[in-house]
Each structure stands twice: as C-alpha cells, then as structure tokens.
Amino acid sequence: MNRRLIALATGAVLALAALMPAAAQAQGSAKPDPTKPGATVPGTNKKITAAQAQACFVWQGGVTADGGHHFADPTATVPPQVPDNWTTAGAFKPGQIRLSARQTIEPDISGTDRYGYVVIGDALYYSYYQVYGDGTIDNRSLSRVGGGWGNFTFLETSDYESPDWSKKIYRSASYALRNDGVLFRWNVGEKGWRASGSYPGFSAVKTMTLIAKTPTYDTFLANTRGGALYTIRIPSASPMKPIVKQVRTRTWQGFETLSAMGCGQYGSLLLAVDKDTKKSYLYAVGHANGLSTVIQSRGEVPATFSDPVDFRWVTIPVYDTANGE
C-alpha cells in the first residue's frame, strides 16, 4: 500500500490540507519500470510486448458517467490499436467527479493502489483506493483538501523525480486553469499546498496536457478555440512567468482532450480526442521547438473516448518520464 504524508498549510489563494503519495521516493528504486517490455499491463494479467513498448502508447484514463475508472492504452502501431480497455466499476458515485488530475496506478502485493487529486463540486479531494486481483475495491478514501474550486476547468499535477539516487531531486507542483483564463500554480510538499503564482491570459485555451517536467520547469501543450497549438513552459522559479511558443497556427480547435505520454528520449505520443465527432487520433510529437516542431500523424484510434472526465494514468514519478521540451 502506498505511503502518504499528511500536511496542513495555508496558501495565499486557498487554505488546503493535502495527502501526499510518497511511494515514489520510498519504493521507486526497488521496482521495475512498469512501462517496459515484460511488465504487467495495469489492471490485467497480460504483459507489455516488446513491439507495443517500441511503438509507444498512452495510458488514457477516464471517469465514466456511472463512476467507474476507465483505462485504455491506444498504441502507435500501424494502424493504431487499443490492446487493453477495461473499467473498474464503482470507484466513485455516478456523476460525482467533475475534474481529475493524473492518477497513479501502482502495483502492490495484493493488486494495485490508485491515487490522485479530483474535484467534487466546489472542493478538491485526494482520492485513494486499492483493487485486489478479483476486482474488489478496498480501503477507499476521499480526503478533502480545500474549497474554492467551482470555477476551475482544468487540473493537473507534475511530480518530477530524478533517476540518479545519489543526487536525488524531487519536485511536485499542481496547476489549475480558471474559467477566466488565469492559470494557477501550487508547490506541493511536506507542508501541503503552497500557492506559488498565477498568470492571466489563457482564456483562449481549450485544453492542455503535460509534455515535459524537469528540475527547473514544466511544459504543457495546449490548443486554443481558434485552432492554434502552443507550448506553455512554466519555470519553477518565482514569480511565475510562463513562456509561450506557437507550434501550429490552425486545425487543432476540434479536440476537447489532449493526453501525452513520453515516447523515445525526447518526444511524446499525443492522443487527441474530438468528442463531437467521437473520433480520436494519435500523433508522434518531436522535441518541442516552436513552429519547427515535428508532428506526425499515426492515424485514427479504433476506440471512442466519451467519458465525461478525462485524465492520464501514470506510474510512480521516477518512471513517468516527460522530455517533450
């Protein structure tokens, strides 16, 4: 079972109490990389094949209308495939979850631990539960962090952990976009959530996804309602001053969901979902470099991602690499 730290802190924007997963720091070096060939596909008894790992995949998640936790792994084979597609029923109440940050799925001796931040109504919660091999849910908890979340439309976390255990670096930040276009950031640590800046000017953003996390910055890929595609690099230093670069000028306005997972040493595999047409596509995105960024279509995904709440499943931070910029 994952270990957690409980902390209470007061921020300039919200007064928050947070539960922090510490399994990455305490156990990361002792566990194999769950994204490599031979590792078990989350929620199944199957193994990740060498061909699947080489092709790259996205662990796409969702909360279904009836409260289930959905997992699918669109894979950039030719043509794209979705080898695994399952739902854990009863993770939440129907319609309970409004927003979800990335959720960690971590194997333990009896099944898997699943945890992360969600928004229910006007409040932020830390969600945790275990699933045994037979699908039984146990040790379920929803720990209230704080209120004031009714006007937020996007939530994500970035947990960076260095692979070098002799010079360990761990940095955790959370980001939320408010419906007036202001992007907020909190640093998350042993003292809980600490407000660490906000920046206006993102009212045109439709959605975004994390493509890079490093010791000194996080980078999101975002599309706008006008069809443009941008990178938003956010240095960890204060004051918060995002660096915005245009990647494409048009045609990206149709996607309600963008979800990226690291692919290769410097790239990302991007899942883009158009919920109006019920179609989704995979793109291989090279190292972000403004309008020179290489984006190659991998084709339409043979699956419908229609869950009302989307997020990405992740492994513990040391293995959830993101080097897209």
Side-chain angles (χ1 to χ4, degrees):
M1 182 176 178
N2 71 305
R3 304 169 187 172
R4 293 170 289 166
L5 300 175
I6 302 175
L8 177 65
T10 301
V13 180
L14 299 173
L16 301 172
L19 287 170
M20 286 293 298
Q25 297 151 288
Q27 304 171 14
S29 61
K31 295 187 175 182
D33 187 339
T35 66
K36 299 300 184 184
T40 300
V41 178
T44 76
N45 293 321
K46 299 194 308 184
K47 301 296 184 181
I48 296 173
T49 67
Q52 184 183 8
Q54 184 176 13
C56 294
F57 43 78
V58 176
W59 285 357
Q60 181 61 13
V63 182
T64 65
D66 59 2
H69 245 164
H70 182 204
F71 175 100
D73 53 356
T75 303
T77 51
V78 181
Q81 299 176 346
V82 183
D84 306 285
N85 197 336
W86 51 262
T87 298
T88 298
F92 305 103
K93 297 177 182 178
Q96 183 180 25
I97 304 302
R98 192 174 67 80
L99 295 174
S100 176
R102 56 186 50 207
Q103 300 289 303
T104 300
I105 186 164
E106 181 179 352
D108 66 19
I109 58 174
S110 58
T112 59
D113 299 334
R114 304 176 189 178
Y115 50 90
Y117 292 100
V118 296
V119 173
I120 300 174
D122 187 55
L124 178 71
Y125 289 80
Y126 180 88
S127 167
Y128 171 83
Y129 65 91
Q130 281 183 297
V131 178
Y132 300 137
D134 63 359
T136 302
I137 294 178
D138 198 8
N139 295 319
R140 186 201 315 263
S141 66
L142 278 172
S143 304
R144 191 177 189 275
V145 176
W149 288 81
N151 293 324
F152 285 93
T153 61
F154 175 84
L155 171 67
E156 185 57 291
T157 57
S158 172
D159 297 313
Y160 174 81
E161 184 175 8
S162 61
D164 185 350
W165 291 89
S166 64
K167 300 178 181 179
K168 180 56 62 178
I169 299 173
Y170 186 82
R171 182 180 66 81
S172 182
S174 289
Y175 300 88
L177 183 63
R178 204 168 59 187
N179 58 8
D180 60 356
V182 179
L183 183 64
F184 291 83
R185 179 182 65 190
W186 296 264
N187 291 334
V188 187
E190 293 183 0
K191 296 183 179 180
W193 284 48
R194 181 172 57 84
S196 58
S198 63
Y199 205 88
F202 295 101
S203 58
V205 169
K206 193 170 184 180
T207 189
M208 54 198 213
T209 183
L210 188 70
I211 62 167
K213 52 180 183 173
T214 78
T216 57
Y217 66 86
D218 295 312
T219 301
F220 289 88
L221 185 68
N223 67 332
T224 69
R225 294 175 180 84
L229 195 65
Y230 291 88
T231 54
I232 304 170
R233 178 192 281 203
I234 306 172
S236 57
S238 294
M240 178 178 166
K241 292 184 177 181
I243 302 167
V244 179
K245 294 183 180 180
Q246 192 171 61
V247 175
R248 293 292 186 269
T249 60
R250 56 191 179 89
T251 76
W252 287 83
Q253 69 275 9
F255 299 119
E256 286 77 27
T257 297
L258 298 177
S259 186
M261 193 162 173
C263 180
Q265 188 173 3
Y266 297 113
S268 307
L269 183 65
L270 177 68
L271 174 69
V273 180
D274 185 333
K275 294 196 174 185
D276 294 328
T277 64
K278 302 186 186 305
K279 292 185 177 182
S280 55
Y281 305 87
L282 284 176
Y283 298 90
V285 182
H287 197 67
N289 184 28
L291 291 170
S292 298
T293 304
V294 175
I295 301 179
Q296 297 178 339
S297 175
R298 286 294 183 258
E300 185 175 346
V301 178
T304 300
F305 298 93
S306 57
D307 298 327
V309 177
D310 296 307
F311 62 90
R312 187 167 78 78
W313 289 105
V314 297
T315 181
I316 57 177
V318 69
Y319 295 132
D320 180 38
T321 57
N323 300 310
E325 191 198 34

